[in-house]
Amino acid sequence: MERINKKLGFGLMRLPMKDGEVDIEQTCLMVDEFIKAGFNYFDTAHGYLSGKSEKAAKTCLTSRYPRESFILTNKLTDEYFKTNDDIRPFFESQLELCGVDYFDFYLMHAQNEARFRYFKERNAYETAIELKKEGKIRHFGISFHDRAEVLDAILSEYPQIEVVQIQEDLITKEDFVIGVVWNEEDSSELNEIPKVLVERSYFNADLSEEEINILALLMKQGWVQRQVTSIENTRMKYSGSDFKMTS
């Protein structure tokens, strides 16, 4: 994990689109500016943009930069495997789509109590651990969307987990798992796990376009400020935003 530069990652969940396809020119510009600024962490998943996110990662990132120059995270999502036998072929297809021969991080996607049971029944965690032993995964972890006690149970059962990605909402905090932090000086099991926060902001209100734009600007400013000040117990944060680079 020492190869991660700074504390901000590039989420590929939302990208600029043109005529229903990823705007490659715009996305390449965003990737170039991100790397030029000294950052190197990128995050994708097969379901993002209906499979177009992984392809964009290959086109805009992995085919244009040396492998050692970036960190790439991908995920195993429940809808893409029915049995354990489905996992390896799916994983290999992800490597091919992304244009790499290993993932720096591979996460069990969107874990909650029900999904953890689904993954566990199909030995998905064990398969990911084996893939790490084979060198196809550098670090094994989970992305998480549930209560702190569920996370505690998962980490207790699988101490091999190296990273937990937790979704944070700037507005409601409904999906944020309160009290789960990482501190190098704390030896408790939960706090030994690095935490990656995902920014996801939304609001439901009958607002004018002008009011929405004002709120969006304030949210962006607040978000940037949070990156600058950071959270000491968080290893890094990334956004799945569709903000565009402008000249």
Side-chain angles (χ1 to χ4, degrees):
M1 298 185 192
E2 64 281 354
R3 289 182 53 229
I4 298 177
N5 296 339
K6 304 187 178 183
K7 289 193 175 184
L8 176 62
F10 190 124
L12 294 160
M13 183 171 66
R14 301 180 186 89
L15 293 171
M17 306 295 287
K18 180 186 291 184
D19 299 324
E21 299 295 330
V22 174
D23 186 335
I24 295 301
E25 182 180 359
Q26 182 70 54
T27 301
C28 284
L29 174 61
M30 293 166 66
V31 169
D32 292 345
E33 290 296 321
F34 187 75
I35 289 180
K36 188 168 65 176
F39 301 97
N40 68 342
Y41 184 97
F42 295 82
D43 176 281
T44 187
H46 188 67
Y48 295 169
L49 300 174
S50 302
K52 297 173 183 176
S53 173
E54 290 173 321
K55 294 178 181 178
K58 180 177 181 179
T59 302
C60 299
L61 174 66
T62 70
S63 66
R64 300 172 66 238
Y65 288 91
R67 183 64 184 91
E68 66 275 8
S69 68
F70 59 86
I71 303 292
L72 184 60
T73 293
N74 210 329
K75 308 178 188 75
L76 176 64
T77 310
D78 56 353
E79 64 184 287
Y80 299 114
F81 69 98
K82 301 298 183 185
T83 69
N84 180 265
D85 290 339
D86 298 328
I87 296 175
R88 278 184 176 269
F90 174 68
F91 176 83
E92 294 293 342
S93 73
Q94 289 182 287
L95 289 177
E96 183 176 356
L97 285 168
C98 290
V100 295
D101 55 11
Y102 70 89
F103 291 120
D104 297 280
F105 292 87
Y106 197 67
L107 311 181
M108 306 293 97
H109 197 185
Q111 295 296 277
N112 56 27
E113 191 169 12
R115 286 197 185 94
F116 176 59
R117 190 180 311 115
Y118 184 93
F119 277 64
K120 184 177 175 183
E121 289 170 352
R122 290 154 182 80
N123 293 320
Y125 280 65
E126 287 75 12
T127 299
I129 291 168
E130 286 299 315
L131 288 168
K132 182 186 174 185
K133 291 178 181 177
E134 296 167 16
K136 296 182 177 181
I137 296 171
R138 293 293 188 263
H139 298 287
F140 160 64
I142 64 174
S143 67
F144 186 74
H145 302 256
D146 209 327
R147 307 178 312 279
E149 55 266 30
V150 177
L151 178 58
D152 190 10
I154 294 174
L155 296 180
S156 296
E157 187 154 353
Y158 289 97
Q160 302 95 326
I161 291 171
E162 299 171 89
V163 63
V164 176
Q165 184 184 97
I166 297 175
Q167 191 174 73
E168 180 187 29
D169 193 311
L170 291 181
I171 304 300
T172 67
K173 303 293 182 183
E174 289 178 356
D175 293 324
F176 184 57
V177 183
I178 302 298
V180 181
V181 297
W182 174 48
N183 189 326
E184 294 183 14
E185 298 179 356
D186 193 322
S187 61
S188 66
E189 184 177 70
L190 275 179
N191 288 337
E192 287 179 346
I193 307 298
K195 179 177 64 174
V196 178
L197 299 183
V198 184
E199 300 285 4
R200 182 180 67 84
S201 301
Y202 65 90
F203 51 85
N204 295 312
D206 185 14
L207 301 176
S208 68
E209 182 176 352
E210 180 181 5
E211 290 169 328
I212 290 174
N213 288 336
I214 292 172
L215 272 177
L217 177 61
L218 290 173
M219 288 164 61
K220 290 179 186 180
Q221 290 174 338
W223 183 81
V224 170
Q225 182 179 8
R226 290 165 69 88
Q227 307 313 318
V228 174
T229 58
S230 191
I231 300 176
E232 291 183 3
N233 293 338
T234 301
R235 178 62 186 85
M236 67 153 301
K237 301 174 74 176
Y238 80 89
S239 170
S241 74
D242 55 2
F243 303 155
K244 292 188 178 182
M245 301 295 300
T246 56
S247 57

